[in-house]
Amino acid sequence: MSVDTVVADVVAGSAINVRGMLWKLRPCDVREVAVAASAEILRLEAIRVAAVDELALHPDEQVLCYRGVGRWLAANTMLQNAAGNKIAALGVALRAFPAIAAQFDAGDLTVDHAALIAAFCESPPKGMPDRALPHCIKTLLAATSGVEATTTKLRYAIAVLERIFESEDIPPGEDDDRNELRIAPTLNGRVVIKGDFDALTGEMLLSALSGLSMPTPAADGTPDVRSAAKRTADALTELIRRYLDNAATGVDGGQRPHVNVHVAAKDLAEHRDCASTRATAAGSNVGASDFEDIASEDAPVWSFDDLEDLDDLDVGHMPWMGPLSITRTRMLACDCMLSTVLLDENGAPLDVSPLKRLVSAAQRTALIVRDKGCAFPSCDAVPAWCDAHHIRPWSQGGLTVMDNLTLLCRAHHTLIHRKAGFAGQWEIKMGSDRRPWFIPAAGIDPVQRPRRSNLRPGPVLRT
């Protein structure tokens, strides 16, 4: 019997006593079993999604007894309701996008990746023309094709496309309005914690837990026997204990959270043309303004190979959570520590400069004395809840001096930078009283009368 036949029998047969069969095979044959089984799982997942979607379209009496075909699937398998509903939702989404369905049915796309691509297609960036969608789908499918496909690679491709068609909408992964944390005591006296957070909060949490959750050998050198989950739980306990033992955060908020974000300096520029244009192999520039050329009938197909040229453009990157939109990166750059790394033409580091604190502790103290909290009109947020905001962006040459700085709470800092309908609409100017004044959007005040910073009396703005 050939090796291929043995591998096929193991994959297609029952898992009962499969371990007793595998030990007789050579390691290379066991590897083949693992790969073949994985391919079979993808094939069966595609069949399950198609079958569930068919039942959604033509349910019988049994399916109609449940609140949705996803719940029927969960009730008749070992799946939970959430997993069953996810499968049903994917089946519905694939109806509208046959290209995604074809690659998924061919076994070259995982359930999670298909769901991510479908979600992008269902809610594309507002600045994207309709005829660009097929080319975007091809780009995303190319990013998830083959054994080298990763979720990080797909998320990066999505982040670049969102940047090319830049809009003021907050990506779901960065929308902190969706954050949830549930802490519930159980009947046996324990506590269950369940949460869902944006990428930046996740980055801060993972960074804070990283050093505390490392395996710690015993005094005699015995390896740490705790599981990864146990070490993370112990790290969270220690993090809480340290906070309660030393419940001081510096001077009214003190230093910013320790989060590393990598981004090219030119991509911090506050205008899209700098970051969203690129040189194609033919030497022409392609960006948000001329993507219509890409989407035209006679244009070459845009593939993920083109996105390789954007490897260090448009998107910030966090070590734990991966891609971060350039708009959020710019917002963080208002009040952060900068470390400059010089790279050669191949992206290899040449030199690293010391950290440069954009807003010093002394400047922050002075801002607290002057603004007394969020300077935005009618906001009463305390200094501890505020970021130091550059009135003229640092990326555009704005100096880190008192006349170019103001305190903004996170909500108003987000509004000034990126809130849909407001980003770029509110203008901040320094008055003759050397305090920030806010000029509202015309949609709020047609006259656009300057408004003094919150709770700070002073003369009328003169510039």
Side-chain angles (χ1 to χ4, degrees):
M1 183 179 295
S2 68
V3 172
D4 291 341
T5 303
V6 174
V7 170
D9 289 344
V10 172
V11 172
S14 170
I16 297 175
N17 197 35
V18 69
R19 297 177 185 273
M21 301 171 61
L22 290 176
W23 76 267
K24 301 176 183 178
L25 301 177
R26 295 174 300 171
C28 61
D29 298 331
V30 177
R31 293 202 312 270
E32 182 64 26
V33 168
V35 171
S38 297
E40 183 69 4
I41 289 172
L42 290 178
R43 186 183 72 85
L44 293 175
E45 282 184 331
I47 293 174
R48 180 169 62 180
V49 169
V52 169
D53 191 46
E54 180 63 25
L55 286 174
L57 293 171
H58 305 100
D60 62 4
E61 291 81 359
Q62 291 193 36
V63 174
L64 290 173
C65 291
Y66 295 86
R67 289 189 294 131
V69 67
R71 288 180 175 269
W72 166 84
L73 181 64
N76 289 273
T77 64
M78 289 186 286
L79 294 174
Q80 299 299 309
N81 283 336
N85 290 335
K86 180 179 179 180
I87 291 170
L90 178 58
V92 174
L94 292 181
R95 298 176 199 168
F97 306 107
I100 304 175
Q103 186 158 316
F104 178 66
D105 294 343
D108 198 23
L109 191 62
T110 67
V111 169
D112 291 336
H113 290 172
L116 274 174
I117 298 174
F120 172 86
C121 295
E122 289 177 330
S123 301
K126 289 185 177 179
M128 188 179 79
D130 292 341
R131 58 181 176 276
L133 183 58
H135 297 278
C136 291
I137 291 176
K138 291 179 181 178
T139 296
L140 298 178
L141 290 178
T144 54
S145 177
V147 296
E148 295 183 356
T150 63
T151 301
T152 299
K153 187 177 181 180
L154 174 58
R155 287 182 56 215
Y156 172 75
I158 291 174
V160 170
L161 290 176
E162 288 174 339
R163 173 58 181 150
I164 289 176
F165 304 107
E166 185 177 11
S167 72
E168 295 168 350
D169 290 345
I170 301 176
E174 298 175 17
D175 189 357
D176 55 16
D177 286 341
R178 303 187 182 196
N179 289 0
E180 295 180 340
L181 180 64
R182 294 182 176 88
I183 304 176
T186 64
L187 293 177
N188 62 354
R190 297 184 63 81
V191 171
V192 173
I193 301 176
K194 183 178 181 180
D196 180 14
F197 295 94
D198 63 283
L200 182 58
T201 302
E203 182 74 15
M204 290 190 290
L205 179 60
L206 292 171
S207 297
L209 294 177
S210 176
L212 299 175
S213 61
M214 296 291 288
T216 305
D220 60 358
T222 304
D224 196 332
V225 297
R226 296 175 299 166
S227 65
K230 171 61 175 169
R231 294 199 311 270
T232 303
D234 291 346
L236 180 60
T237 302
E238 180 64 19
L239 192 65
I240 297 171
R241 181 182 293 114
R242 291 187 184 187
Y243 175 80
L244 294 177
D245 289 345
N246 304 279
T249 57
V251 181
D252 280 320
Q255 196 170 341
R256 299 296 88 202
H258 297 278
V259 174
N260 292 320
V261 180
H262 305 158
V263 63
K266 61 181 178 295
D267 296 331
L268 285 177
E270 289 282 354
H271 56 89
R272 70 174 64 185
D273 291 340
C274 174
S276 64
T277 59
R278 63 181 177 87
T280 63
S284 60
N285 289 332
V286 181
S289 60
D290 52 11
F291 193 85
E292 292 184 0
D293 296 335
I294 295 177
S296 64
E297 293 297 330
D298 55 350
V301 174
W302 197 41
S303 69
F304 188 74
D305 292 336
D306 296 314
L307 287 179
E308 299 291 348
D309 298 334
L310 298 173
D311 190 42
D312 59 351
L313 289 178
D314 298 325
V315 181
H317 178 81
M318 298 180 293
W320 287 100
M321 297 299 294
L324 185 70
S325 71
I326 196 68
T327 312
R328 176 67 74 176
T329 304
R330 290 172 185 156
M331 179 175 163
L332 294 177
C334 270
D335 191 8
C336 71
M337 301 277 286
L338 278 185
S339 178
T340 303
V341 180
L342 300 181
L343 305 177
D344 63 16
E345 66 276 8
N346 298 315
L350 293 174
D351 186 30
V352 179
S353 73
L355 291 175
K356 175 186 176 184
R357 187 168 182 85
L358 293 182
V359 178
S360 67
Q363 285 175 317
R364 186 171 179 86
T365 300
L367 285 172
I368 292 171
V369 172
R370 188 193 71 188
D371 295 346
K372 297 180 175 59
C374 180
F376 198 91
S378 303
C379 183
D380 58 359
V382 298
W385 297 352
C386 294
D387 301 328
H389 170 71
H390 284 70
I391 296 173
R392 181 184 180 189
W394 173 82
S395 57
Q396 291 184 359
L399 300 178
T400 308
V401 295
M402 289 297 296
D403 285 347
N404 193 46
L405 296 172
T406 185
L407 288 181
L408 292 176
C409 67
R410 180 53 55 92
H412 286 119
H413 199 182
T414 300
L415 181 147
I416 291 295
H417 273 274
R418 66 179 304 161
K419 194 71 172 180
F422 286 92
Q425 300 299 311
W426 280 83
E427 185 179 0
I428 307 176
K429 288 188 176 182
M430 196 62 63
S432 59
D433 57 356
R434 301 191 68 181
R435 299 178 187 274
W437 286 70
F438 294 76
I439 302 175
I444 296 176
D445 181 3
V447 182
Q448 292 188 292
R449 287 181 290 266
R451 303 183 184 186
R452 61 170 65 103
S453 56
N454 187 39
L455 302 178
R456 260 66 78 192
V460 176
L461 170 67
R462 294 192 299 271
T463 60

